Amino acid sequence: MSTAQLIDGKAIAQAIHSETAARVAALKTKGITPGITFVRVGEDPASQAYVRMKGKKALELGIKSDTIVLPEATTEAELLALLEKLNADKSVHGILVQAPLPKHISETKVFSTVLPSKDVDGFHPVNVGKLLLGEEGGFKPCTPAGVHELLIRSKIPVEGAHVVILGRGNIVGKPMAAILVQKAKHANATITVLHSRSRDIAEHCRRADILIAAMGQTEFVKADMVKPGATVIDVGVNRVTDANDPRGYRLVGDIDFKAVCEVAAHVTPNPGGVGPMTIAMLMANTATAAEAAA
Ligand code: GUN
């Protein structure tokens, strides 16, 4: 049995970070320091970790980063008022409200309040609409945009390929389909989107030239769901209890990695595949927001 080639998300993300750092340096010669503000509500441990990682990378690249932490009991009105203040602040080019939010706050309202020009997450309806219409100049959600970059920079042909996406969420599945279905270079794919109500899931997966797992189920994709020679992208981040790990848990993806590697031609490791790309696209979007404001 052959073993799949690994798609090195860390290295590809690093290449994008180098490009972003150069863009940030160019902005600074014009007296502009790109700035991103993270807003986190409550004490979700995963959100804490994500925001910490994103803030650290921003500083490394010379992007000014602020994190505002609000208590779990914050009202929707208070959060919206804060966002209006950040919208008006010229030193803030990008605003990221980390999801998930407490149940009493509408994510739709929150994402709609961030100015589209500062919406580096690509969640505002205007940016979602531009993506669907294939219009340039909007922000694309970072994780699916990162997966697209991984495919492009790994020279995996997308045009005409059958891409099967597991998961139809607003953060990954839906925008992923919108990116790859466009009549555009590195897109033009045939897309199947599978979800919790889909029938014959394994059968659909076996037809995929590119299989993107983003449904949040531990090791859901088994070797017999993968066409020999396919590319498999693992977007999943699932916490599994593990007494042997000092954290008490370990992170596991949506694919049965070892077994899938025996069948696929290209596979993303996890961690070290999609995760670093999400951060790379966020930083690149922040540079774009600052360039547009300049
Ligand atoms: N929660 C899970 N993924 C994301 C993301 O890409 N952006 C934000 N803001 N929250 C998330």
Side-chain angles (χ1 to χ4, degrees):
M1 267 292 181
S2 65
T3 301
Q5 210 177 320
L6 295 186
I7 297 174
D8 190 345
K10 256 194 203 167
I12 296 171
Q14 196 45 56
I16 295 169
H17 285 314
S18 299
E19 295 162 18
T20 304
R23 294 167 65 193
V24 171
L27 282 162
K28 286 190 173 175
T29 64
K30 294 184 204 158
I32 296 153
T33 299
I36 182 165
T37 297
F38 302 97
V39 180
R40 193 161 66 61
V41 185
E43 299 304 324
D44 174 50
S47 292
Q48 288 175 347
Y50 286 134
V51 169
R52 207 180 315 118
M53 281 194 291
K54 291 168 184 172
K56 187 167 161 261
K57 184 53 77 178
L59 292 179
E60 275 174 41
L61 298 177
I63 295 170
K64 183 174 171 291
S65 141
D66 282 313
T67 301
I68 298 172
V69 180
L70 301 174
E72 180 84 20
T74 302
T75 65
E76 187 178 274
E78 285 167 338
L79 177 54
L80 298 184
L82 169 67
L83 294 175
E84 294 292 1
K85 238 176 66 190
L86 295 172
N87 280 343
D89 184 339
K90 285 202 166 33
S91 74
V92 175
H93 302 102
I95 301 170
L96 183 146
V97 183
Q98 185 66 33
L101 291 168
K103 293 228 174 341
H104 63 274
I105 298 176
S106 155
E107 284 187 3
T108 309
K109 262 196 203 163
V110 167
F111 294 148
S112 305
T113 300
V114 173
L115 273 181
S117 58
K118 297 191 178 192
D119 171 39
V120 286
D121 245 341
F123 294 163
H124 189 286
V126 164
N127 285 320
V128 176
K130 282 186 176 174
L131 170 58
L132 203 60
L133 293 168
E135 270 184 38
E136 294 299 318
F139 289 111
K140 291 176 193 161
C142 301
T143 300
V147 170
H148 194 211
E149 272 309 307
L150 271 187
L151 294 171
I152 293 169
R153 294 186 190 227
S154 305
K155 301 202 162 39
I156 290 161
V158 174
E159 303 212 13
H162 184 196
V163 179
V164 174
I165 301 167
L166 282 155
R168 58 173 157 187
N170 289 333
I171 291 180
V172 185
K174 273 192 232 169
M176 189 80 252
I179 289 170
L180 295 175
V181 81
Q182 290 306 322
K183 190 169 187 173
K185 199 166 175 228
H186 300 303
N188 285 312
T190 302
I191 315 282
T192 299
V193 180
L194 302 175
H195 49 78
S196 52
R197 304 293 175 91
S198 296
R199 274 182 274 135
D200 308 321
I201 287 180
E203 211 167 294
H204 286 298
C205 288
R206 276 193 291 273
R207 288 198 202 99
D209 300 307
I210 300 170
L211 181 59
I212 302 174
M215 82 293 225
Q217 284 195 46
T218 301
E219 296 180 337
F220 181 86
V221 175
K222 306 294 181 194
D224 66 358
M225 295 162 73
V226 176
K227 175 161 83 176
T231 294
V232 182
I233 307 288
D234 186 4
V235 183
V237 184
N238 308 296
R239 277 187 183 214
V240 175
T241 311
D242 183 349
N244 292 322
D245 193 292
R247 297 169 297 184
Y249 67 88
R250 72 199 147 86
L251 297 174
V252 182
D254 284 353
I255 72 169
D256 183 353
F257 179 76
K258 248 180 100 180
V260 165
C261 278
E262 295 299 317
V263 183
H266 301 273
V267 179
T268 57
N270 188 354
V274 174
M277 292 300 292
T278 298
I279 299 183
M281 301 319 286
L282 177 68
M283 297 301 129
N285 280 352
T286 305
T288 302
E291 286 163 356

Short mmCIF file of all heavy atoms in Angstrom, two decimals, residues 219-284:
data_model
loop_
_atom_site.label_atom_id
_atom_site.label_comp_id
_atom_site.label_asym_id
_atom_site.label_seq_id
_atom_site.Cartn_x
_atom_site.Cartn_y
_atom_site.Cartn_z
N GLU A 219 -13.01 11.29 13.70
CA GLU A 219 -12.57 10.22 12.79
C GLU A 219 -13.72 9.60 11.99
O GLU A 219 -13.79 8.39 11.80
CB GLU A 219 -11.81 9.15 13.59
CG GLU A 219 -10.54 9.74 14.19
CD GLU A 219 -9.69 8.78 15.00
OE1 GLU A 219 -10.24 7.77 15.48
OE2 GLU A 219 -8.49 9.04 15.16
N PHE A 220 -14.59 10.45 11.48
CA PHE A 220 -15.77 9.99 10.73
C PHE A 220 -15.36 9.35 9.40
O PHE A 220 -15.93 8.35 8.97
CB PHE A 220 -16.70 11.18 10.47
CG PHE A 220 -17.94 10.83 9.72
CD1 PHE A 220 -19.08 10.38 10.39
CD2 PHE A 220 -17.99 10.94 8.33
CE1 PHE A 220 -20.23 10.06 9.70
CE2 PHE A 220 -19.15 10.61 7.63
CZ PHE A 220 -20.26 10.16 8.31
N VAL A 221 -14.38 9.95 8.73
CA VAL A 221 -13.99 9.47 7.39
C VAL A 221 -13.04 8.29 7.52
O VAL A 221 -11.91 8.43 8.00
CB VAL A 221 -13.34 10.61 6.57
CG1 VAL A 221 -12.82 10.07 5.22
CG2 VAL A 221 -14.33 11.74 6.34
N LYS A 222 -13.53 7.13 7.12
CA LYS A 222 -12.73 5.89 7.18
C LYS A 222 -12.10 5.63 5.81
O LYS A 222 -12.52 6.21 4.79
CB LYS A 222 -13.63 4.71 7.56
CG LYS A 222 -14.41 4.91 8.84
CD LYS A 222 -13.49 5.00 10.05
CE LYS A 222 -14.31 5.18 11.34
NZ LYS A 222 -13.46 5.58 12.46
N ALA A 223 -11.14 4.73 5.79
CA ALA A 223 -10.41 4.44 4.55
C ALA A 223 -11.35 4.00 3.42
O ALA A 223 -11.16 4.37 2.26
CB ALA A 223 -9.36 3.37 4.81
N ASP A 224 -12.38 3.24 3.75
CA ASP A 224 -13.26 2.72 2.69
C ASP A 224 -14.23 3.78 2.16
O ASP A 224 -15.06 3.49 1.31
CB ASP A 224 -14.02 1.47 3.18
CG ASP A 224 -14.99 1.77 4.29
OD1 ASP A 224 -15.07 2.95 4.73
OD2 ASP A 224 -15.69 0.85 4.75
N MET A 225 -14.12 5.02 2.65
CA MET A 225 -14.93 6.12 2.12
C MET A 225 -14.10 6.99 1.17
O MET A 225 -14.59 8.03 0.70
CB MET A 225 -15.47 6.98 3.27
CG MET A 225 -16.44 6.21 4.16
SD MET A 225 -16.69 6.99 5.76
CE MET A 225 -17.68 8.38 5.29
N VAL A 226 -12.87 6.57 0.93
CA VAL A 226 -11.94 7.40 0.14
C VAL A 226 -11.57 6.67 -1.14
O VAL A 226 -11.23 5.50 -1.13
CB VAL A 226 -10.67 7.70 0.97
CG1 VAL A 226 -9.64 8.47 0.14
CG2 VAL A 226 -11.03 8.48 2.23
N LYS A 227 -11.65 7.41 -2.25
CA LYS A 227 -11.24 6.86 -3.55
C LYS A 227 -9.72 6.79 -3.60
O LYS A 227 -9.05 7.77 -3.22
CB LYS A 227 -11.77 7.78 -4.66
CG LYS A 227 -11.31 7.40 -6.06
CD LYS A 227 -12.20 8.01 -7.12
CE LYS A 227 -11.83 9.44 -7.45
NZ LYS A 227 -12.66 9.97 -8.57
N PRO A 228 -9.14 5.69 -4.05
CA PRO A 228 -7.68 5.63 -4.15
C PRO A 228 -7.16 6.81 -4.98
O PRO A 228 -7.68 7.10 -6.05
CB PRO A 228 -7.43 4.29 -4.85
CG PRO A 228 -8.62 3.45 -4.50
CD PRO A 228 -9.78 4.40 -4.42
N GLY A 229 -6.16 7.50 -4.44
CA GLY A 229 -5.57 8.64 -5.16
C GLY A 229 -6.22 9.98 -4.86
O GLY A 229 -5.80 11.01 -5.39
N ALA A 230 -7.25 9.99 -4.03
CA ALA A 230 -7.95 11.24 -3.73
C ALA A 230 -7.13 12.15 -2.82
O ALA A 230 -6.13 11.72 -2.22
CB ALA A 230 -9.30 10.94 -3.07
N THR A 231 -7.57 13.40 -2.73
CA THR A 231 -7.01 14.36 -1.76
C THR A 231 -8.02 14.48 -0.62
O THR A 231 -9.22 14.67 -0.87
CB THR A 231 -6.81 15.73 -2.42
OG1 THR A 231 -5.80 15.60 -3.42
CG2 THR A 231 -6.38 16.79 -1.41
N VAL A 232 -7.55 14.37 0.62
CA VAL A 232 -8.45 14.45 1.77
C VAL A 232 -8.00 15.58 2.69
O VAL A 232 -6.84 15.63 3.12
CB VAL A 232 -8.51 13.11 2.54
CG1 VAL A 232 -9.49 13.20 3.70
CG2 VAL A 232 -8.90 11.97 1.60
N ILE A 233 -8.92 16.50 2.94
CA ILE A 233 -8.64 17.68 3.77
C ILE A 233 -9.44 17.56 5.06
O ILE A 233 -10.67 17.43 5.03
CB ILE A 233 -9.07 18.98 3.03
CG1 ILE A 233 -8.47 19.08 1.63
CG2 ILE A 233 -8.76 20.21 3.89
CD1 ILE A 233 -7.01 19.37 1.55
N ASP A 234 -8.75 17.63 6.18
CA ASP A 234 -9.38 17.44 7.49
C ASP A 234 -9.51 18.78 8.21
O ASP A 234 -8.53 19.35 8.68
CB ASP A 234 -8.52 16.48 8.32
CG ASP A 234 -9.16 16.10 9.64
OD1 ASP A 234 -10.31 16.51 9.90
OD2 ASP A 234 -8.52 15.36 10.42
N VAL A 235 -10.75 19.28 8.29
CA VAL A 235 -10.99 20.58 8.94
C VAL A 235 -11.37 20.39 10.42
O VAL A 235 -11.40 21.32 11.19
CB VAL A 235 -12.10 21.36 8.19
CG1 VAL A 235 -12.32 22.74 8.78
CG2 VAL A 235 -11.76 21.50 6.70
N GLY A 236 -11.64 19.16 10.81
CA GLY A 236 -12.22 18.90 12.14
C GLY A 236 -11.29 19.22 13.30
O GLY A 236 -10.08 18.98 13.22
N VAL A 237 -11.85 19.75 14.35
CA VAL A 237 -11.14 19.93 15.62
C VAL A 237 -12.07 19.42 16.71
O VAL A 237 -13.01 20.10 17.12
CB VAL A 237 -10.80 21.41 15.90
CG1 VAL A 237 -9.98 21.54 17.18
CG2 VAL A 237 -10.03 22.03 14.74
N ASN A 238 -11.84 18.17 17.14
CA ASN A 238 -12.72 17.56 18.15
C ASN A 238 -11.92 17.25 19.40
O ASN A 238 -10.80 16.74 19.32
CB ASN A 238 -13.31 16.26 17.59
CG ASN A 238 -13.96 16.45 16.23
OD1 ASN A 238 -14.94 17.17 16.10
ND2 ASN A 238 -13.39 15.84 15.20
N ARG A 239 -12.49 17.58 20.55
CA ARG A 239 -11.84 17.28 21.83
C ARG A 239 -12.23 15.89 22.29
O ARG A 239 -13.41 15.58 22.42
CB ARG A 239 -12.28 18.28 22.90
CG ARG A 239 -11.50 19.55 22.84
CD ARG A 239 -11.82 20.46 24.00
NE ARG A 239 -11.06 21.69 23.79
CZ ARG A 239 -10.54 22.43 24.77
NH1 ARG A 239 -10.73 22.08 26.02
NH2 ARG A 239 -9.85 23.50 24.50
N VAL A 240 -11.23 15.06 22.55
CA VAL A 240 -11.48 13.71 23.05
C VAL A 240 -10.79 13.59 24.40
O VAL A 240 -9.62 13.92 24.55
CB VAL A 240 -10.91 12.67 22.06
CG1 VAL A 240 -11.07 11.26 22.62
CG2 VAL A 240 -11.59 12.78 20.71
N THR A 241 -11.56 13.12 25.41
CA THR A 241 -10.99 12.95 26.75
C THR A 241 -9.81 12.00 26.69
O THR A 241 -9.88 10.95 26.07
CB THR A 241 -12.07 12.37 27.70
OG1 THR A 241 -13.25 13.15 27.52
CG2 THR A 241 -11.63 12.44 29.15
N ASP A 242 -8.70 12.40 27.34
CA ASP A 242 -7.50 11.57 27.34
C ASP A 242 -6.75 11.81 28.65
O ASP A 242 -6.11 12.84 28.84
CB ASP A 242 -6.62 11.92 26.13
CG ASP A 242 -5.39 11.02 26.04
OD1 ASP A 242 -5.13 10.27 27.01
OD2 ASP A 242 -4.71 11.07 25.00
N ALA A 243 -6.85 10.83 29.55
CA ALA A 243 -6.23 10.96 30.88
C ALA A 243 -4.71 11.03 30.77
O ALA A 243 -4.04 11.55 31.67
CB ALA A 243 -6.67 9.80 31.76
N ASN A 244 -4.15 10.51 29.67
CA ASN A 244 -2.68 10.50 29.51
C ASN A 244 -2.14 11.84 29.04
O ASN A 244 -0.94 12.07 29.06
CB ASN A 244 -2.27 9.42 28.51
CG ASN A 244 -2.53 8.03 29.07
OD1 ASN A 244 -2.34 7.80 30.27
ND2 ASN A 244 -2.99 7.12 28.23
N ASP A 245 -3.03 12.72 28.60
CA ASP A 245 -2.60 14.03 28.14
C ASP A 245 -2.65 15.00 29.32
O ASP A 245 -3.62 14.99 30.08
CB ASP A 245 -3.51 14.53 27.00
CG ASP A 245 -2.93 15.72 26.27
OD1 ASP A 245 -2.84 16.81 26.89
OD2 ASP A 245 -2.56 15.55 25.09
N PRO A 246 -1.61 15.84 29.49
CA PRO A 246 -1.61 16.78 30.62
C PRO A 246 -2.81 17.72 30.63
O PRO A 246 -3.23 18.20 31.68
CB PRO A 246 -0.30 17.57 30.45
CG PRO A 246 0.30 17.14 29.15
CD PRO A 246 -0.36 15.87 28.71
N ARG A 247 -3.40 17.98 29.45
CA ARG A 247 -4.58 18.86 29.38
C ARG A 247 -5.86 18.11 29.74
O ARG A 247 -6.91 18.71 29.93
CB ARG A 247 -4.74 19.43 27.97
CG ARG A 247 -3.60 20.32 27.52
CD ARG A 247 -3.69 20.63 26.03
NE ARG A 247 -3.58 19.44 25.19
CZ ARG A 247 -3.56 19.44 23.86
NH1 ARG A 247 -3.68 20.58 23.20
NH2 ARG A 247 -3.43 18.31 23.19
N GLY A 248 -5.76 16.76 29.78
CA GLY A 248 -6.95 15.95 30.06
C GLY A 248 -7.75 15.62 28.80
O GLY A 248 -8.76 14.94 28.84
N TYR A 249 -7.29 16.13 27.67
CA TYR A 249 -7.95 15.84 26.40
C TYR A 249 -6.91 15.92 25.30
O TYR A 249 -5.82 16.45 25.48
CB TYR A 249 -9.07 16.85 26.11
CG TYR A 249 -8.56 18.25 25.86
CD1 TYR A 249 -8.20 18.66 24.58
CD2 TYR A 249 -8.41 19.17 26.90
CE1 TYR A 249 -7.70 19.93 24.34
CE2 TYR A 249 -7.91 20.44 26.67
CZ TYR A 249 -7.56 20.82 25.39
OH TYR A 249 -7.06 22.08 25.16
N ARG A 250 -7.27 15.34 24.14
CA ARG A 250 -6.44 15.60 22.95
C ARG A 250 -7.36 15.99 21.81
O ARG A 250 -8.57 15.76 21.88
CB ARG A 250 -5.56 14.38 22.63
CG ARG A 250 -6.29 13.21 22.09
CD ARG A 250 -5.46 11.94 22.24
NE ARG A 250 -6.37 10.84 22.47
CZ ARG A 250 -6.96 10.16 21.48
NH1 ARG A 250 -6.67 10.44 20.23
NH2 ARG A 250 -7.81 9.20 21.74
N LEU A 251 -6.78 16.61 20.79
CA LEU A 251 -7.58 17.08 19.65
C LEU A 251 -7.49 16.05 18.53
O LEU A 251 -6.40 15.58 18.20
CB LEU A 251 -7.08 18.45 19.18
CG LEU A 251 -7.21 19.57 20.22
CD1 LEU A 251 -6.56 20.85 19.72
CD2 LEU A 251 -8.68 19.82 20.56
N VAL A 252 -8.64 15.69 17.99
CA VAL A 252 -8.71 14.68 16.94
C VAL A 252 -9.54 15.26 15.79
O VAL A 252 -10.51 15.98 16.01
CB VAL A 252 -9.38 13.39 17.47
CG1 VAL A 252 -9.41 12.32 16.40
CG2 VAL A 252 -8.63 12.88 18.70
N GLY A 253 -9.15 14.93 14.57
CA GLY A 253 -9.84 15.47 13.41
C GLY A 253 -11.07 14.67 13.01
O GLY A 253 -11.53 13.78 13.74
N ASP A 254 -11.60 14.99 11.83
CA ASP A 254 -12.78 14.31 11.29
C ASP A 254 -12.41 13.10 10.43
O ASP A 254 -13.30 12.46 9.87
CB ASP A 254 -13.59 15.30 10.42
CG ASP A 254 -14.38 16.30 11.26
OD1 ASP A 254 -14.41 16.15 12.49
OD2 ASP A 254 -14.97 17.22 10.66
N ILE A 255 -11.11 12.83 10.29
CA ILE A 255 -10.74 11.67 9.47
C ILE A 255 -9.91 10.68 10.29
O ILE A 255 -9.20 11.05 11.22
CB ILE A 255 -9.96 12.09 8.19
CG1 ILE A 255 -8.53 12.55 8.52
CG2 ILE A 255 -10.70 13.19 7.42
CD1 ILE A 255 -7.66 12.71 7.28
N ASP A 256 -10.05 9.43 9.92
CA ASP A 256 -9.25 8.35 10.51
C ASP A 256 -7.88 8.41 9.79
O ASP A 256 -7.67 7.75 8.77
CB ASP A 256 -9.97 7.02 10.26
CG ASP A 256 -9.25 5.85 10.90
OD1 ASP A 256 -8.12 6.04 11.40
OD2 ASP A 256 -9.80 4.74 10.85
N PHE A 257 -7.00 9.26 10.32
CA PHE A 257 -5.82 9.71 9.59
C PHE A 257 -4.95 8.56 9.07
O PHE A 257 -4.62 8.51 7.88
CB PHE A 257 -5.00 10.65 10.48
CG PHE A 257 -3.75 11.16 9.85
CD1 PHE A 257 -3.78 12.15 8.88
CD2 PHE A 257 -2.51 10.63 10.20
CE1 PHE A 257 -2.62 12.62 8.28
CE2 PHE A 257 -1.34 11.09 9.61
CZ PHE A 257 -1.40 12.09 8.65
N LYS A 258 -4.58 7.65 9.97
CA LYS A 258 -3.62 6.60 9.57
C LYS A 258 -4.18 5.74 8.45
O LYS A 258 -3.51 5.45 7.46
CB LYS A 258 -3.29 5.72 10.79
CG LYS A 258 -1.85 5.89 11.25
CD LYS A 258 -1.53 5.02 12.43
CE LYS A 258 -0.80 3.75 12.00
NZ LYS A 258 -0.49 2.90 13.18
N ALA A 259 -5.44 5.35 8.61
CA ALA A 259 -6.07 4.47 7.62
C ALA A 259 -6.27 5.20 6.29
O ALA A 259 -6.02 4.64 5.22
CB ALA A 259 -7.40 3.95 8.15
N VAL A 260 -6.69 6.47 6.37
CA VAL A 260 -6.94 7.26 5.15
C VAL A 260 -5.63 7.45 4.36
O VAL A 260 -5.62 7.44 3.13
CB VAL A 260 -7.61 8.61 5.51
CG1 VAL A 260 -7.55 9.60 4.34
CG2 VAL A 260 -9.05 8.38 5.93
N CYS A 261 -4.52 7.59 5.07
CA CYS A 261 -3.22 7.77 4.42
C CYS A 261 -2.84 6.58 3.54
O CYS A 261 -2.03 6.72 2.62
CB CYS A 261 -2.12 7.99 5.46
SG CYS A 261 -2.04 9.69 6.04
N GLU A 262 -3.41 5.42 3.80
CA GLU A 262 -3.10 4.23 3.00
C GLU A 262 -3.82 4.24 1.65
O GLU A 262 -3.48 3.47 0.76
CB GLU A 262 -3.48 2.95 3.77
CG GLU A 262 -2.67 2.72 5.03
CD GLU A 262 -1.18 2.55 4.73
OE1 GLU A 262 -0.84 1.85 3.76
OE2 GLU A 262 -0.37 3.14 5.47
N VAL A 263 -4.83 5.08 1.53
CA VAL A 263 -5.67 5.07 0.32
C VAL A 263 -5.51 6.37 -0.49
O VAL A 263 -5.42 6.34 -1.72
CB VAL A 263 -7.16 4.89 0.70
CG1 VAL A 263 -8.02 4.80 -0.56
CG2 VAL A 263 -7.34 3.66 1.57
N ALA A 264 -5.46 7.49 0.21
CA ALA A 264 -5.42 8.80 -0.46
C ALA A 264 -4.03 9.08 -1.02
O ALA A 264 -3.05 8.46 -0.61
CB ALA A 264 -5.82 9.89 0.52
N ALA A 265 -3.97 10.04 -1.96
CA ALA A 265 -2.67 10.47 -2.49
C ALA A 265 -2.13 11.66 -1.69
O ALA A 265 -0.93 11.80 -1.51
CB ALA A 265 -2.80 10.84 -3.96
N HIS A 266 -3.05 12.54 -1.24
CA HIS A 266 -2.65 13.73 -0.48
C HIS A 266 -3.59 13.87 0.71
O HIS A 266 -4.81 13.79 0.55
CB HIS A 266 -2.76 14.99 -1.34
CG HIS A 266 -1.91 14.94 -2.58
ND1 HIS A 266 -0.60 15.34 -2.60
CD2 HIS A 266 -2.19 14.52 -3.82
CE1 HIS A 266 -0.10 15.18 -3.80
NE2 HIS A 266 -1.05 14.68 -4.58
N VAL A 267 -3.01 14.11 1.88
CA VAL A 267 -3.82 14.25 3.10
C VAL A 267 -3.24 15.40 3.93
O VAL A 267 -2.02 15.59 3.97
CB VAL A 267 -3.78 12.94 3.94
CG1 VAL A 267 -4.59 13.09 5.22
CG2 VAL A 267 -4.30 11.75 3.15
N THR A 268 -4.13 16.17 4.59
CA THR A 268 -3.62 17.18 5.53
C THR A 268 -3.41 16.52 6.89
O THR A 268 -4.28 15.80 7.38
CB THR A 268 -4.62 18.34 5.73
OG1 THR A 268 -5.88 17.81 6.17
CG2 THR A 268 -4.82 19.13 4.45
N PRO A 269 -2.27 16.78 7.52
CA PRO A 269 -2.12 16.34 8.91
C PRO A 269 -3.02 17.20 9.78
O PRO A 269 -3.50 18.24 9.36
CB PRO A 269 -0.64 16.62 9.21
CG PRO A 269 -0.25 17.70 8.26
CD PRO A 269 -1.12 17.56 7.04
N ASN A 270 -3.27 16.75 10.98
CA ASN A 270 -4.13 17.52 11.89
C ASN A 270 -3.71 17.18 13.32
O ASN A 270 -3.92 16.04 13.74
CB ASN A 270 -5.59 17.14 11.63
CG ASN A 270 -6.56 18.03 12.39
OD1 ASN A 270 -6.15 18.86 13.21
ND2 ASN A 270 -7.84 17.84 12.15
N PRO A 271 -3.08 18.10 14.02
CA PRO A 271 -2.81 19.50 13.67
C PRO A 271 -1.71 19.66 12.60
O PRO A 271 -1.06 18.68 12.24
CB PRO A 271 -2.34 20.09 15.01
CG PRO A 271 -1.78 18.95 15.78
CD PRO A 271 -2.61 17.76 15.40
N GLY A 272 -1.59 20.90 12.11
CA GLY A 272 -0.53 21.20 11.15
C GLY A 272 -1.00 21.23 9.70
O GLY A 272 -0.20 21.32 8.79
N GLY A 273 -2.32 21.16 9.51
CA GLY A 273 -2.87 21.22 8.16
C GLY A 273 -3.67 22.49 7.96
O GLY A 273 -3.14 23.55 7.63
N VAL A 274 -4.97 22.39 8.21
CA VAL A 274 -5.88 23.52 7.96
C VAL A 274 -5.73 24.62 9.03
O VAL A 274 -5.82 25.81 8.71
CB VAL A 274 -7.35 23.01 7.88
CG1 VAL A 274 -8.32 24.17 7.77
CG2 VAL A 274 -7.51 22.05 6.71
N GLY A 275 -5.52 24.23 10.28
CA GLY A 275 -5.49 25.20 11.39
C GLY A 275 -4.59 26.41 11.12
O GLY A 275 -5.04 27.56 11.22
N PRO A 276 -3.31 26.16 10.80
CA PRO A 276 -2.42 27.30 10.56
C PRO A 276 -2.88 28.17 9.39
O PRO A 276 -2.61 29.38 9.37
CB PRO A 276 -1.07 26.64 10.22
CG PRO A 276 -1.16 25.24 10.72
CD PRO A 276 -2.61 24.87 10.72
N MET A 277 -3.58 27.56 8.44
CA MET A 277 -4.05 28.32 7.27
C MET A 277 -5.14 29.31 7.64
O MET A 277 -5.25 30.39 7.07
CB MET A 277 -4.57 27.36 6.19
CG MET A 277 -3.48 26.52 5.57
SD MET A 277 -2.22 27.50 4.77
CE MET A 277 -3.13 28.19 3.39
N THR A 278 -6.01 28.93 8.60
CA THR A 278 -7.08 29.83 9.04
C THR A 278 -6.45 31.13 9.56
O THR A 278 -6.88 32.24 9.21
CB THR A 278 -7.92 29.17 10.15
OG1 THR A 278 -8.53 28.01 9.60
CG2 THR A 278 -8.98 30.10 10.69
N ILE A 279 -5.41 30.98 10.37
CA ILE A 279 -4.75 32.15 10.95
C ILE A 279 -4.04 32.94 9.85
O ILE A 279 -4.08 34.18 9.84
CB ILE A 279 -3.78 31.72 12.08
CG1 ILE A 279 -4.57 31.01 13.18
CG2 ILE A 279 -3.02 32.93 12.63
CD1 ILE A 279 -3.75 30.60 14.39
N ALA A 280 -3.43 32.24 8.91
CA ALA A 280 -2.71 32.94 7.82
C ALA A 280 -3.68 33.80 7.01
O ALA A 280 -3.36 34.94 6.64
CB ALA A 280 -2.00 31.93 6.93
N MET A 281 -4.86 33.26 6.72
CA MET A 281 -5.84 34.02 5.92
C MET A 281 -6.37 35.21 6.71
O MET A 281 -6.64 36.27 6.15
CB MET A 281 -6.99 33.12 5.46
CG MET A 281 -6.59 31.93 4.62
SD MET A 281 -5.31 32.24 3.40
CE MET A 281 -6.22 33.14 2.19
N LEU A 282 -6.54 35.02 8.03
CA LEU A 282 -7.01 36.13 8.87
C LEU A 282 -6.02 37.28 8.86
O LEU A 282 -6.40 38.46 8.73
CB LEU A 282 -7.24 35.62 10.31
CG LEU A 282 -7.66 36.69 11.30
CD1 LEU A 282 -9.06 37.20 10.97
CD2 LEU A 282 -7.60 36.17 12.73
N MET A 283 -4.75 36.96 8.97
CA MET A 283 -3.71 38.00 8.97
C MET A 283 -3.66 38.69 7.61
O MET A 283 -3.52 39.91 7.52
CB MET A 283 -2.35 37.38 9.32
CG MET A 283 -2.28 36.79 10.73
SD MET A 283 -2.65 37.99 12.02
CE MET A 283 -3.90 37.14 12.95
N ALA A 284 -3.77 37.88 6.54
CA ALA A 284 -3.76 38.46 5.18
C ALA A 284 -4.97 39.38 5.00
O ALA A 284 -4.85 40.48 4.43
CB ALA A 284 -3.76 37.34 4.14
#
